[in-house]
Amino acid sequence: MGTALDVRVKRAGKVYRDGEVLSGVVVITSKDTVQHQGISLTMEGSVNLQLSAKNVGVFEAFCNTAKPIQIINSTIEMVKPGKLPSGKTEIPFEFPLQMKGNKVLYETYHGVFVNIQYTLRCDMRRSLLAKDLTKTCEFIVHSLSQKGKLLPSPVDFTITPETLQNVKERASLPKFLIRGHLNSTNCVITQPLTGELVVESAEAAVRSIELQLVRVETCGCAEGYARDATEIQNIQIADGDVCRGLPIPIHMVFPRLFTCPTLETTNFKVEFEVNIVVLLHDDHLITENFPLKLCRM
Amino acid sequence: SVFLRHARSRNYVSESEVCKLESVPLDFGDYHPLKPITVTESKTKKMNRKGSTSSTSSSSSSSVMDPLSSVFDGTDPLSLFAAAADPVTTAHPMDGARRKREKDESSAVGNDFEPWSSKRGEILARYTTTEKLSINLYMGSEKGKATTSGSAVSEKVRTRLEELDDLEEGSQKELLNLTQQDYMNRIEELNQSLKDAWSSDQKVKALKIVIQCSKLLSDTTVIQFYPSKFVLITDILDTFGKLVYERILSMCMDNRVSLPDNFSPESVNDTAKETCLNWFFKIASIRELIPRFYVEAAILKCNKFLSKTGISECLPRLTSMIRGIGDPLVAIYARAYLCRVGMEVAPQLKESLNKNFFDFLLTFKQIHGDTVQNQLVVQCVEIPLYLTLYSPAIDWILQCIAYRAPDVLLTEMMERCKKLGNNALLLNSVMSAFRAEFIAARSMDFIGMIKECDESGFPKHLLFRSLGLNLALADPPENDRLQILNEAWKVITKLKNPQDYINCAEVWVEYTCRHFSKREVNTVLADVIKHMTPDRAFEDAYPQLQSIIQKVITYIYDFALLFSVEKFLPFLDMFQKESVRVEVCKCIMESFIKHQQESTKDPVILNALLHICKTTHDSVNALTLEDEKRMLAALINGFIKMVSFGRDFEQQLSFYVEARSMFCNLEPVLVQLIHSVNQLAMETRRVMKGNHSRKTAAFVRACVAFCFITIPSLSSIFTRLNLYLHSGQVALANQCLSQADAFFKAAVSLVPEVPKMISVDGKMRPSDAFLLEFLCNFFSTLLVVPDHPEQGVLFLVRGLLNVIQDYTWEDNSDDKVRIYTNVLHLLSAMTQEAFIYHVDKVDSNDTLYGGDSKFLAEINKLSETVVSQILDHLKTLGKEETLKRQSQLALYFFNTILAHGDLRNNRLNQLSVNLWNLAQKHGFADTKTMVKTLEYIKKRSKQSEMSHFTDLALRLPLQSRT
C-alpha cells in the first residue's frame, strides 16, 4: 500500500456539541512523496428516513420521495494541489460546529427507520493514474442541555389481574399483586432509569422480570405517517422466584448509540417507552407500559 | 638396630613442664569467645575490654545469648537491608508501586484476615459429586436472538453482531455427562482461553467467555456441587477483573510512568476513561441478571478510574441487585462474591457487607419455600445436606463482617440471627466466622441457643463442632468451663453415626485437655473408645483418632501422668493399621524425647514406652528406607538414654539386656546399648573408686561380656573395630585383663577383613584413612596393655604388625610405611623407664619388666625389622614418578628420628643426615618446611643436653631453590 489516509478527531469519545469547535488531524502516511491534486475535508450531517417493510405498500409513493434531510454540510480545502513529503504528515484542522439561522443540530441517533449521522470525510484528489483516496470518520453530536430544570415525574404502579388489558380468559390467570414505582419518567439520558418493584404476592412462581426498552419511530408528512416500535434493550432485573415483599431495584442504563433525547420534528419523531415484563412459571406474560421522555442535561 | 638401641630416654614429667603453654592467670571479667555472655551491667568493666565484641551485652540476660540475634536486635538482617534499600526502589517505579500497593492493602486488611484463597481448596475438597454435570455455552446466542427479531434490527447492528460471532461461529456448545474432574478441566480450559483471547486482543470474545461462565452460576442442577462450581467460576471472573483493570491501568501510563497507587480519577487520561466507560456500558447491557451482576462485580475496581465515589455507589446498588435473584443459594453465593470483591477493593466500606447479610436474613424464609423444596425433591437431596451448602458463603460473609468489627456489631448480628428463630445454619456460621474470643466468652449462651435452636435439618453435631473449634482457640470464663464440657459431651455422646461422633469428639478433646485434669481426659478417651470400637468403626477414623492423640500429648507431656490415664493405652490399641500405629508411636516418642527432662525409672513409663518403641521397631522390614531406620533408631536411642535406675546398676544392665533383645534389628540402637553398658561399667568403677569388690567385679565382667557378645552382631566393620577398642579400654580400666585381651585380639583378627572401599553416607570411599586413624589409636592403647603371662613378649603388637604386613594395601599408597613410622613412636615409648601414661591399678609392661634387658632387646629386634622395612620402601620409591612421595616419607622419618631417637649415636646421626639429603635430593622438598625444621633444631640445641644438635645442624645443608 502506498499511501494511507486517516482522520482523527481530538476527543477520545468523539462527542461534540453545538457551538463547539471540532478539531483534529488528518494523518497521511506514505513511503514516498505523495503527488496530489488537493486535499479537502467535508463535514456532513443528515437525517435518513426509511420505511419499514410492512408500510411500504401503502406509502410507496411517499417513500420514494423521502430524501435524506441535510442538517449541515461544509467543506474546506486543506491543502492545495502539490506534493507531500514521505513519511507521516499530520495536518491539523478545526471546524466550528455552528448552525445557521434557527436550524437545530439534532443529536446523533442510529435507529431502524431514522438515522441521524455526522461524518467527517477527507478526500485526496489525485491524478488520473492513481485513485482518489477517501476516509470517513463518524463523530457524535450531543445536543445542548435543555434549558430549565427537569421536573421529576414519578409514577407508582400496581399490577393485578384486574388491571390488565387484552386478557382472553381472566379467570385462568393466577392471582398476583405487583407494586412498584419509577422514580421519574422524565429521564436524563446519561442517568439510569431507576425505581423499585415488589412482588407482594403471586400464586404462580415468578420466572423472570425484565425491563424492555422500546423506541418508537414515526416518519411522516402531510400524506400520512408510519409508526414503528422496536426493542432496543432488554434487561432482566429478577431471575427466578423472587422473595415476596422484598423491593427489587429497577435500574437500567440507556444504551449510548441507540438512544437520543426524545425528538419531535415535522418530519419524524423518535420516542421511547419502557415495558415491565413479568414472566410467570406457567408462561403467563404480564406487561406494563410506561412512556418515557428522554432529555440531555 | 641402629635406631632403638639409641632411643632417646625421656623424662616425660619435665618435658611436659617445658612444653606446657604458659599459664596465664585469668581475669574474671576477661572476654572469652566460648563464655556465655552473662549479666554485665557494670560499665567500668566494659571500658576495660575495649575492642571486644560484647558491646551489645548490656542487655542483661543470664542465659546464653545467640550472638547473631543479639546483634541485630531481633530484626533479621535481610529485612533491615530491605528497609534501608527502600529509597533505591523508587528508581523502579513499577516495583515501588507494587510494593506500596501491597502495603496499602495490608493496612486495610491485615494478615489476620483469612483470605479467600485459603478457603478455596477446602470448598473444592468438601463439595463434590459423583453425578454427571453439564456445561452449556451459547457463544452465538446473541445472534440467535438477533435473527428472531431480525426485521427490527438495523443492518448495522446485525453486521456488528455477526462480526462478534465470527470468533466462535454460532457455537452452541453443550457438554453433557461430564464427571466432576472433566468439569473442572473444562472450566480451566475456559480460563485459559479467556487469557488467550485477551492476549490476542479479542476483548469481545473474552467478555463473552466470562458472560457464559457466569451464566453457569444460575444453573443449580447437581446442587451439591454448586459451591465448588462457584469457586471455579469466580476464579475466571477474578482473572477477568484483573485483566481489565491492568489493561486500563496500562493505558494510563504516561511516559512509561504508571499511576501512583492511590491515584485520583483526574489523573486518568480520557482514552482510559473512555475505554473504562465502554466496559461498563457493555456490561450494563447484558440481558441476564446473574451474568450482569457477576461481570460488573468482577470489574468493580475499575470504578476507580472514573470517579472517587464510584465504588461506594456501586456496592450498594449491586447489593440490592442481588434481591432479584430468586434462588436463595445462588443469591447467597452472589453476595459472598460481592463481599469478597468488596473486601479486596474497598475494605473500608463495611456498610454493604452488613446490608448483604441483612438482605440475606430477609430472604431467609425462601429456603423453606416451595420452590426450593420442589427442586430438592427432584434432585433427591436431603435438607441437611442442602443446608450445609450455604455454609461456605455465609461463613465468608460473616467473616468479612466480623473482621475487626466492634463487639457491639457482633452482638447486634447475633440478635438478628436469634430473631430468626435461632436458626442452626446461621448459628453455625456465626460460630465459624466470629472471633473465637467473642464466642468463647458467651459459650453458655451459645450452648443454650444450640439446644433451643430450630434444627430444621441442619445437623446439631456440626454446631457443637464449631463451638468446640472456638473453645480450642479461646478460653471461656473459668466458672463455666466444666458445665460447658458436660453440656456438650452430653450431646456428643448421643451421636449415633461414628463419623459424626468422631468429628465432634476430635475437636472437644482439645478443650478437655486444655482445661481439665486427667480424670476428665480419661473419661473422654473412654467414651471415644466405646463409640469407635463397635463394628471396627475406628478403621474409618484414623486421621481423627490420630489427631486426638496429638492433642492429648500436646497438653499432657508429663509422661508419668499421661500413662496413668488408664484409657490411653487401650486407645492406642485402636490403631490397628500398622502404618498409622507406627506413626502415632513415633509422635509419642518424639514428644517424650522433647519433654522428658530427667531420666526415669518409673515402671509404668518404661513398660508403656518399651511397648511403643517395640511397635515402631517391629515395623522395620527389608523395605524400610535407610532414613526411616535412622529416625526410628534416633527415637529409640533417645528413650534409652532417658532410662536410669540410679544406683541400681544391675537393674540397669538387665534393662539393657532386655532392650537388646527387643531392638535387635536396628544397629544404631545396639551401638547405643554397648556405649551405655560401657558407661555403666565406668560408672561402677567410679562409685567403687577403682577398687572393685567381688560383687562389683562380677558385675563389671557381666557388662564386658554383654559388649563382647553384642559387637559381632554389627555389620559395619569400623563400628566393630572401634567398639572392640573402646570396650577393651573399658575392660582394662576395670581390671578385667583377660577380657581386655580378648577384645584386642578380636580387633586384631578383624583388621584383615577391612575392605578397600567402604560406604560412607551412601558413597563409596577408600577406607585407608579410617584404618590409619584406627591403627594409630590402637597402638596408643597397646602401650599400656600388659603382656599376657602365657603369650610371648609384645604378643599383641607383634600380632598387629603381622596383620599389617599381610594386609593388601593399595599399590600406590605409603600408608603401611606411615604406620610403621608410627610404630617406632610406640616402640620408643616402650623403652622408657616409666611410660607416659598408665591405667589406674593396672601394671603395664614398664612395671612388669622393670626395664629388663631381654625385654629391651626384644623391642630392639622389632624396631630393627620395622626400620629396615621403611628403608626398603624408600628405596622402591626411587623412580621418577614417585620421587615426591619419597621426599615426603624421608622427611617424615627424619622427624621421627629427631623426636624419638638419640642423635648422640653416630650411626643414627648419619642416617638422619642421609634422610635429610634424600628429602631434598630431587627438589621436591618444601623449602619453607626445611627452613623451619632447621630453625627448630638450632633452637633445641640451646637446651641443656642437646648440644649435639648444634653439630647436627651444621651437617644439614639447605638446598637452594634452583
Side-chain angles (χ1 to χ4, degrees):
Chain A
M1 275 298 288
T3 313
L5 195 62
D6 198 12
V7 183
R8 293 178 194 158
V9 294
K10 211 171 185 181
R11 292 188 190 167
K14 298 181 179 177
V15 177
Y16 293 87
R17 289 164 179 242
D18 194 356
E20 287 178 337
V21 175
L22 176 65
S23 60
V25 283
V26 168
V27 184
I28 300 138
T29 34
S30 169
K31 277 182 192 159
D32 312 307
T33 51
V34 185
Q35 186 92 43
H36 65 92
Q37 305 295 110
I39 300 173
S40 62
L41 194 62
T42 312
M43 176 170 68
E44 273 180 327
S46 61
V47 181
N48 280 293
L49 299 179
Q50 201 186 352
L51 291 187
S52 76
K54 55 183 178 182
N55 291 327
V56 164
V58 187
F59 294 106
E60 211 155 14
F62 162 69
C63 169
N64 290 333
T65 61
K67 279 186 200 150
I69 305 161
Q70 192 133 81
I71 308 169
I72 194 167
N73 191 348
S74 62
T75 306
I76 46 168
E77 188 74 25
M78 294 185 80
V79 184
K80 295 240 165 70
K83 267 187 188 175
L84 287 175
S86 63
K88 191 166 152 187
T89 313
E90 291 194 1
I91 308 165
F93 62 83
E94 280 190 349
F95 262 114
L97 207 54
Q98 203 107 48
M99 292 308 290
K100 288 182 188 108
N102 54 0
K103 270 191 170 176
V104 191
L105 199 59
Y106 299 131
E107 184 157 336
T108 300
Y109 169 73
H110 295 284
V112 187
F113 307 109
V114 179
N115 246 311
I116 306 173
Q117 197 174 17
Y118 296 86
T119 52
L120 270 177
R121 197 182 72 235
C122 179
D123 293 297
M124 183 196 275
R125 288 179 300 282
R126 296 207 280 184
S127 59
L128 288 170
L129 292 171
K131 256 192 201 164
D132 290 356
L133 287 178
T134 301
K135 173 78 185 180
T136 19
C137 159
E138 185 179 355
F139 66 94
I140 292 160
V141 169
H142 280 174
S143 49
L144 292 174
S145 343
Q146 261 116 342
K147 296 189 180 71
K149 225 179 145 192
L150 183 75
L151 287 174
S153 49
V155 191
D156 288 328
F157 59 87
T158 306
I159 315 173
T160 60
E162 288 72 37
T163 62
L164 297 179
Q165 298 160 352
N166 297 330
V167 187
K168 282 175 197 137
E169 280 178 81
R170 206 171 287 268
S172 73
L173 270 180
K175 287 208 168 58
F176 59 83
L177 169 60
I178 296 168
R179 272 209 295 251
H181 67 268
L182 294 177
N183 289 337
S184 175
T185 53
N186 288 342
C187 299
V188 180
I189 200 163
T190 52
Q191 300 292 314
L193 171 76
T194 53
E196 260 183 358
L197 179 144
V198 188
V199 180
E200 297 284 4
S201 65
E203 270 183 358
V206 178
R207 188 192 270 177
S208 176
I209 302 176
E210 288 154 22
L211 296 176
Q212 190 181 32
L213 182 64
V214 175
R215 72 182 149 208
V216 183
E217 294 166 319
T218 315
C219 314
C221 52
E223 288 91 349
Y225 66 94
R227 189 174 190 275
D228 284 282
T230 44
E231 175 190 300
I232 48 177
Q233 176 166 280
N234 193 323
I235 292 288
Q236 190 185 36
I237 57 165
D239 179 18
D241 198 15
V242 290
C243 189
R244 306 289 185 265
L246 191 71
I248 296 165
I250 292 174
H251 181 97
M252 179 165 71
V253 176
F254 293 112
R256 281 202 287 191
L257 221 52
F258 303 107
T259 46
C260 66
T262 303
L263 193 58
E264 272 186 68
T265 68
T266 45
N267 293 336
F268 62 95
K269 275 202 274 191
V270 181
E271 293 157 306
F272 295 90
E273 292 171 359
V274 69
N275 289 326
I276 293 177
V277 183
V278 180
L279 195 66
L280 295 180
H281 228 271
D282 43 13
D283 282 338
H284 278 106
L285 186 88
I286 304 152
T287 308
E288 188 81 12
N289 179 273
F290 304 92
L292 299 177
K293 186 163 165 45
L294 299 188
C295 59
R296 192 175 289 281
M297 290 308 273
Chain B
S1 76
V2 203
F3 182 58
L4 270 170
R5 201 177 296 156
H6 308 288
R8 188 161 66 89
S9 67
R10 313 276 293 264
N11 183 342
Y12 289 123
V13 180
S14 64
E15 260 182 60
S16 81
E17 285 285 297
V18 175
C19 295
K20 239 183 232 162
L21 291 176
E22 239 175 300
S23 59
V24 183
L26 271 181
D27 175 11
F28 237 111
D30 225 352
Y31 171 76
H32 187 280
L34 296 181
K35 219 176 81 175
I37 300 170
T38 46
V39 192
T40 46
E41 289 285 24
S42 49
K43 293 257 164 41
T44 46
K45 212 159 245 172
K46 233 166 51 181
M47 299 288 278
N48 290 340
R49 282 185 279 120
K50 53 187 162 199
S52 85
T53 56
S54 55
S55 55
T56 53
S57 61
S58 55
S59 57
S60 58
S61 122
S62 56
S63 65
V64 183
M65 258 201 345
D66 183 358
L68 291 177
S69 67
S70 64
V71 169
F72 289 109
D73 248 1
T75 42
D76 70 305
L78 288 180
S79 63
L80 270 181
F81 177 70
D86 237 357
V88 182
T89 55
T90 48
H92 310 281
M94 287 292 277
D95 252 25
R98 188 167 307 140
R99 179 168 308 177
K100 214 163 144 208
R101 193 174 320 148
E102 276 160 14
K103 218 183 281 167
D104 282 358
E105 270 168 12
S106 66
S107 68
V109 179
N111 292 332
D112 48 340
F113 186 75
E114 193 188 352
W116 174 257
S117 50
S118 72
K119 306 255 177 192
R120 228 187 132 258
E122 207 178 298
I123 296 176
L124 285 179
R126 186 166 159 204
Y127 298 97
T128 57
T129 182
T130 50
E131 303 222 2
K132 296 295 182 197
L133 302 156
S134 61
I135 299 181
N136 241 323
L137 295 174
Y138 303 95
M139 283 315 220
S141 65
E142 308 252 332
K143 184 188 179 190
K145 255 194 78 65
T147 43
T148 52
S149 57
S151 59
V153 180
S154 75
E155 204 52 41
K156 189 164 176 172
V157 174
R158 195 178 307 161
T159 47
R160 191 180 69 94
L161 287 173
E162 267 163 357
E163 252 167 53
L164 303 186
D165 290 331
D166 280 344
L167 303 169
E168 291 247 344
E169 185 47 56
S171 59
Q172 172 178 342
K173 268 198 246 169
E174 189 167 13
L175 303 162
L176 294 169
N177 277 332
L178 297 174
T179 65
Q180 186 182 324
Q181 193 52 49
D182 288 342
Y183 191 91
M184 290 165 86
N185 295 343
R186 291 285 171 175
I187 298 280
E188 187 39 49
E189 276 169 30
L190 281 173
N191 202 354
Q192 199 48 52
S193 55
L194 164 67
K195 286 180 197 160
D196 292 347
W198 188 269
S199 57
S200 59
D201 222 34
Q202 295 174 290
K203 305 284 189 300
V204 180
K205 184 180 171 192
L207 180 61
K208 274 188 177 181
I209 292 173
V210 175
I211 293 175
Q212 293 307 320
C213 287
S214 33
K215 228 182 243 180
L216 295 176
L217 284 175
S218 58
D219 174 19
T220 54
T221 49
V222 195
I223 205 158
Q224 59 270 40
F225 185 63
Y226 192 84
S228 293
K229 181 157 82 174
F230 170 79
V231 168
L232 296 173
I233 289 173
T234 50
D235 280 353
I236 297 186
L237 288 166
D238 288 346
T239 311
F240 177 72
K242 218 186 312 149
L243 288 173
V244 174
Y245 184 81
E246 276 164 11
R247 161 109 180 99
I248 298 176
L249 194 67
S250 74
M251 294 175 83
C252 300
M253 282 252 265
D254 196 18
N255 293 331
R256 317 203 117 261
V257 177
S258 62
L259 285 177
D261 183 53
N262 44 357
F263 60 87
S264 69
E266 292 86 52
S267 55
V268 177
N269 65 40
D270 285 350
T271 327
K273 267 187 184 156
E274 189 62 26
T275 315
C276 190
L277 259 179
N278 257 329
W279 278 111
F280 280 111
F281 270 111
K282 232 174 258 175
I283 289 164
S285 67
I286 297 173
R287 202 190 84 83
E288 280 165 276
L289 174 67
I290 290 169
R292 191 168 69 243
F293 164 79
Y294 272 106
V295 181
E296 185 170 356
I299 64 161
L300 182 70
K301 198 177 179 184
C302 294
N303 274 299
K304 278 165 62 175
F305 296 111
L306 297 178
S307 77
K308 269 209 149 60
T309 53
I311 293 177
S312 56
E313 284 159 11
C314 259
L315 271 176
R317 184 169 57 74
L318 287 171
T319 303
S320 53
M321 193 165 154
I322 299 175
R323 290 179 170 195
I325 300 177
D327 189 307
L329 188 67
V330 178
I332 190 73
Y333 275 94
R335 292 187 192 285
Y337 185 65
L338 189 60
C339 291
R340 186 169 123 197
V341 177
M343 278 306 269
E344 208 177 290
V345 177
Q348 71 281 7
L349 300 174
K350 299 267 183 205
E351 271 310 299
S352 26
L353 297 176
N354 299 348
K355 180 81 169 28
N356 263 307
F357 188 64
F358 295 149
D359 269 4
F360 166 66
L361 293 183
L362 286 176
T363 56
F364 194 74
K365 55 182 186 263
Q366 273 186 296
I367 293 177
H368 304 290
D370 290 342
T371 320
V372 170
Q373 299 300 328
N374 293 340
Q375 193 186 4
L376 294 186
V377 170
V378 172
Q379 294 202 29
C380 304
V381 173
E382 305 266 329
I383 279 277
L385 175 68
Y386 176 69
L387 289 178
T388 54
L389 300 180
Y390 283 80
S391 293
I394 305 178
D395 288 1
W396 177 256
I397 295 173
L398 283 174
Q399 189 198 326
C400 293
I401 292 174
Y403 181 66
R404 291 192 182 163
D407 274 6
V408 189
L409 179 72
L410 302 188
T411 319
E412 190 199 334
M413 290 285 169
M414 246 175 82
E415 288 306 316
R416 292 236 189 181
C417 296
K418 254 190 202 169
K419 250 182 227 157
L420 272 155
N422 265 344
N423 188 281
L425 172 63
L426 285 176
L427 204 53
N428 187 45
S429 290
V430 164
M431 284 192 290
S432 40
F434 283 12
R435 280 190 289 274
E437 296 78 26
F438 180 87
I439 307 289
R442 296 164 180 71
S443 303
M444 283 314 288
D445 292 349
F446 272 97
I447 288 192
M449 280 190 277
I450 294 175
K451 277 200 198 145
E452 280 167 30
C453 79
D454 151 33
E455 240 184 287
S456 64
F458 194 86
K460 247 182 199 177
H461 65 89
L462 288 184
L463 293 176
F464 274 103
R465 187 181 143 84
S466 301
L467 183 61
L469 283 173
N470 280 301
L471 291 176
L473 293 173
D475 299 340
E478 186 86 45
N479 297 333
D480 294 346
R481 288 183 186 169
L482 186 60
Q483 207 186 344
I484 291 171
L485 182 65
N486 283 334
E487 293 288 347
W489 206 266
K490 232 189 276 171
V491 180
I492 296 170
T493 192
K494 281 190 195 124
L495 292 171
K496 290 278 184 306
N497 180 334
Q499 210 59 37
D500 292 348
Y501 171 81
I502 195 70
N503 281 331
C504 237
E506 179 204 344
V507 171
W508 280 86
V509 163
E510 180 154 11
Y511 175 71
T512 316
C513 294
R514 208 171 142 113
H515 298 296
F516 300 98
S517 66
K518 72 166 200 188
R519 198 174 70 93
E520 285 81 5
V521 176
N522 194 41
T523 318
V524 168
L525 291 184
D527 197 57
V528 175
I529 295 174
K530 203 177 91 196
H531 275 81
M532 299 313 286
T533 313
D535 301 327
R536 301 176 67 82
F538 50 78
E539 283 178 348
D540 300 322
Y542 285 138
Q544 290 95 329
L545 293 173
Q546 222 173 327
S547 123
I548 290 181
I549 290 287
Q550 284 279 14
K551 282 167 185 160
V552 171
I553 57 179
T554 323
Y555 286 97
I556 309 182
Y557 42 77
D558 175 354
F559 275 73
L561 185 66
L562 178 66
F563 289 121
S564 68
V565 174
E566 286 158 38
K567 292 292 178 184
F568 185 75
L569 288 177
F571 195 94
L572 288 185
D573 288 342
M574 283 200 292
F575 296 99
Q576 295 197 353
K577 190 176 163 195
E578 202 193 17
S579 59
V580 185
R581 189 168 53 197
V582 170
E583 209 49 51
V584 171
C585 289
K586 271 189 342 202
C587 287
I588 297 173
M589 283 156 70
E590 269 163 19
S591 160
F592 177 79
I593 290 168
K594 192 169 148 203
H595 294 292
Q596 188 73 20
Q597 302 289 340
E598 296 160 7
S599 47
T600 177
K601 60 172 181 178
D602 183 331
V604 179
I605 298 185
L606 292 192
N607 273 330
L609 276 175
L610 269 178
H611 172 74
I612 288 167
C613 289
K614 175 93 178 128
T615 310
T616 55
H617 168 265
D618 290 353
S619 73
V620 174
N621 56 33
L623 296 177
T624 313
L625 295 172
E626 274 310 310
D627 274 344
E628 174 77 4
K629 278 194 206 163
R630 206 183 344 244
M631 199 176 128
L632 289 178
L635 288 172
I636 296 177
N637 283 346
F639 162 61
I640 289 174
K641 282 187 212 157
M642 291 313 289
V643 177
S644 163
F645 290 89
R647 295 292 283 265
D648 192 348
F649 292 149
E650 286 182 24
Q651 180 91 43
Q652 186 88 34
L653 182 62
S654 66
F655 169 77
Y656 291 140
V657 172
E658 193 186 351
R660 182 179 60 185
S661 67
M662 272 183 168
F663 307 125
C664 54
N665 285 337
L666 288 170
E667 276 197 17
V669 179
L670 294 181
V671 174
Q672 173 63 41
L673 285 170
I674 292 168
H675 281 304
S676 295
V677 169
N678 276 332
Q679 201 184 355
L680 190 61
M682 292 311 281
E683 187 66 20
T684 316
R685 180 177 175 274
R686 194 182 61 79
V687 170
M688 301 305 289
K689 300 199 172 63
N691 298 315
H692 283 299
S693 66
R694 181 185 296 188
K695 200 176 153 200
T696 58
F699 174 72
V700 167
R701 277 198 288 279
C703 289
V704 172
F706 175 97
C707 296
F708 193 73
I709 57 170
T710 311
I711 295 173
S713 65
L714 301 173
S715 66
S716 158
I717 192 144
F718 277 103
T719 314
R720 259 187 291 167
L721 282 175
N722 285 319
L723 281 173
Y724 273 135
L725 179 57
H726 188 72
S727 305
Q729 287 165 346
V730 170
L732 205 56
N734 283 293
Q735 299 124 49
C736 306
L737 297 185
S738 56
Q739 283 84 350
D741 258 1
F743 277 117
F744 296 134
K745 266 187 228 163
V748 170
S749 51
L750 195 57
V751 170
E753 287 174 32
V754 174
K756 287 250 166 46
M757 305 290 276
I758 53 163
S759 141
V760 179
D761 294 333
K763 278 185 204 149
M764 292 310 280
R765 293 269 167 76
S767 63
D768 48 5
F770 295 95
L771 188 56
L772 203 65
E773 186 190 322
F774 168 73
L775 288 175
C776 292
N777 198 354
F778 198 6
F779 279 126
S780 307
T781 308
L782 286 182
L783 174 65
V784 288
V785 178
D787 278 345
H788 194 279
E790 287 161 22
Q791 315 279 5
V793 176
L794 296 180
F795 171 69
L796 286 169
V797 177
R798 278 168 199 281
L800 191 52
L801 281 172
N802 287 337
V803 167
I804 294 168
Q805 176 75 38
D806 296 340
Y807 186 77
T808 41
W809 295 92
E810 273 313 325
D811 289 337
N812 54 354
S813 94
D814 302 321
D815 289 329
K816 190 159 105 178
V817 177
R818 281 179 199 280
I819 292 169
Y820 281 151
T821 319
N822 290 345
V823 169
L824 287 181
H825 300 176
L826 170 71
L827 293 176
S828 85
M830 279 182 160
T831 57
Q832 305 301 325
E833 232 165 277
F835 288 173
I836 184 166
Y837 45 80
H838 291 95
V839 177
D840 193 24
K841 303 214 165 47
V842 174
D843 289 332
S844 295
N845 286 341
D846 54 345
T847 327
L848 285 185
Y849 296 112
D852 184 77
S853 57
K854 261 195 205 156
F855 174 64
L856 291 180
E858 202 64 42
I859 295 178
N860 268 347
K861 230 164 85 192
L862 259 183
S863 49
E864 215 170 302
T865 326
V866 172
V867 168
S868 66
Q869 289 267 0
I870 296 173
L871 292 177
D872 282 351
H873 187 79
L874 279 176
K875 264 177 218 153
T876 61
L877 291 178
K879 284 175 224 130
E880 184 66 38
E881 64 273 16
T882 51
L883 286 178
K884 188 169 185 184
R885 279 162 56 197
Q886 192 188 37
S887 156
Q888 281 171 347
L889 274 187
L891 188 64
Y892 189 52
F893 192 24
F894 173 80
N895 282 333
T896 303
I897 296 176
L898 201 61
H900 299 281
D902 185 354
L903 287 170
R904 276 172 298 203
N905 177 286
N906 285 336
R907 285 179 63 193
L908 200 57
N909 206 316
Q910 184 55 46
L911 176 63
S912 59
V913 173
N914 291 345
L915 284 170
W916 174 267
N917 290 331
L918 182 63
Q920 290 194 109
K921 195 169 165 190
H922 299 285
F924 283 103
D926 177 31
T927 320
K928 227 180 193 171
T929 317
M930 302 309 273
V931 172
K932 281 260 160 84
T933 313
L934 202 58
E935 272 170 16
Y936 167 76
I937 295 170
K938 284 176 186 161
K939 201 177 150 197
R940 284 293 301 275
S941 67
K942 302 218 167 64
Q943 289 170 1
S944 57
E945 294 177 40
M946 288 294 177
S947 49
H948 56 284
F949 268 44
T950 325
D951 302 334
L952 179 66
L954 289 174
R955 295 180 62 193
L956 300 179
L958 262 180
Q959 202 153 39
S960 64
R961 206 180 274 244
T962 52

